Amino acid sequence: MVSRAVCIAQDPAADALLTADDFALLVGMTLDQQFPMEHAFRGPQKIADRMGGFDIHRIAAADPAEFEELAATPPAIHRYGRSMARRVQELAHYIGEHYDGETSGLWMAGDPDGKEVLKRLKALPGFGDQKARIFLALLGKQKGFTGRGWREAAGAYGEDGSRRSVADVTDAESLSQVREFKKQAKAAAKAK
């Protein structure tokens, strides 16, 4: 599986962590709601800076109140830092229980097709249909996932050359294009 360097956070250290650590990328996706996407994807680096590294097992084992405090301390990992801290810990527990702490098991365990990976993603705490499809598209477009039918399972987010979600952000220009797409989609929805 060939993956590319992730450039979603638009910050070298944060993007290096997202590229190197699958759980960090999953956490970034978890935080990507009601918050600017590049800031959401900087959240894992903030956690790493405050914990002296980014480790799924340490996150899962952290005292919940202390982890909430760490996540909510300015600059917080999200505008709802405490509730998102709980969600991140839930995610760490889930990956630990179901994939032995190996996040890539979501898309690699048992050589799954796109439909199966979508099903696995939808089972994650805090992942609905849309978030699961976007993350599946991100796996296919940037992490080298080639499971049969991934583009179909990802729906419109899997379209080649689209600029509709974080899955399509590879640099500052594509981030701007995705923002513009979202702005137009919001305006069109409002006009209905």
Side-chain angles (χ1 to χ4, degrees):
M1 231 184 248
V2 178
S3 69
R4 62 185 301 152
V6 175
C7 292
I8 300 168
Q10 307 290 297
D11 172 85
D15 282 327
L17 178 59
L18 297 171
T19 300
D21 190 302
D22 295 328
F23 187 64
L25 191 63
L26 192 65
V27 167
M29 189 73 219
T30 298
L31 299 175
D32 187 20
Q33 62 186 51
Q34 301 176 324
F35 201 52
M37 82 174 75
E38 68 275 21
H39 293 289
F41 281 87
R42 289 177 193 155
Q45 184 62 50
K46 290 175 186 171
I47 293 169
D49 291 345
R50 295 168 190 178
M51 290 186 86
F54 193 84
D55 181 281
I56 187 172
H57 304 290
R58 287 185 54 220
I59 291 169
D63 174 86
E66 288 176 18
F67 191 71
E68 278 185 33
E69 189 60 35
L70 172 145
T73 299
I77 64 167
H78 191 275
R79 67 195 269 196
Y80 303 114
R82 291 183 187 285
S83 65
M84 285 303 186
R86 290 190 294 273
R87 174 114 356 117
V88 168
Q89 278 196 301
E90 280 177 53
L91 199 57
H93 289 284
Y94 186 92
I95 297 295
E97 288 171 28
H98 295 86
Y99 298 97
D100 294 323
E102 289 297 325
T103 306
S104 62
L106 282 162
W107 59 91
M108 293 182 71
D111 194 26
D113 63 9
K115 240 175 157 170
E116 176 61 26
V117 173
L118 181 63
K119 182 176 150 193
R120 292 175 184 182
L121 291 169
K122 285 179 175 182
L124 294 172
F127 272 64
D129 183 66
Q130 185 176 5
K131 190 177 286 276
R133 288 178 191 276
I134 292 169
F135 196 74
L136 175 57
L138 179 59
L139 293 173
K141 291 178 175 183
Q142 298 195 41
K143 293 297 281 181
F145 175 66
T146 58
R148 190 174 35 82
W150 76 264
R151 284 189 190 274
E152 294 77 9
Y157 300 108
E159 290 173 5
D160 196 22
S162 68
R163 291 286 184 257
R164 65 177 68 236
S165 77
V166 68
D168 303 310
V169 175
T170 56
D171 54 24
E173 184 183 343
S174 56
L175 173 63
S176 176
Q177 291 168 341
V178 167
R179 273 226 169 82
E180 186 56 33
F181 174 85
K182 288 181 175 215
K183 188 173 149 188
Q184 288 175 5
K186 216 176 239 183
K190 215 179 224 184
K192 285 184 180 179

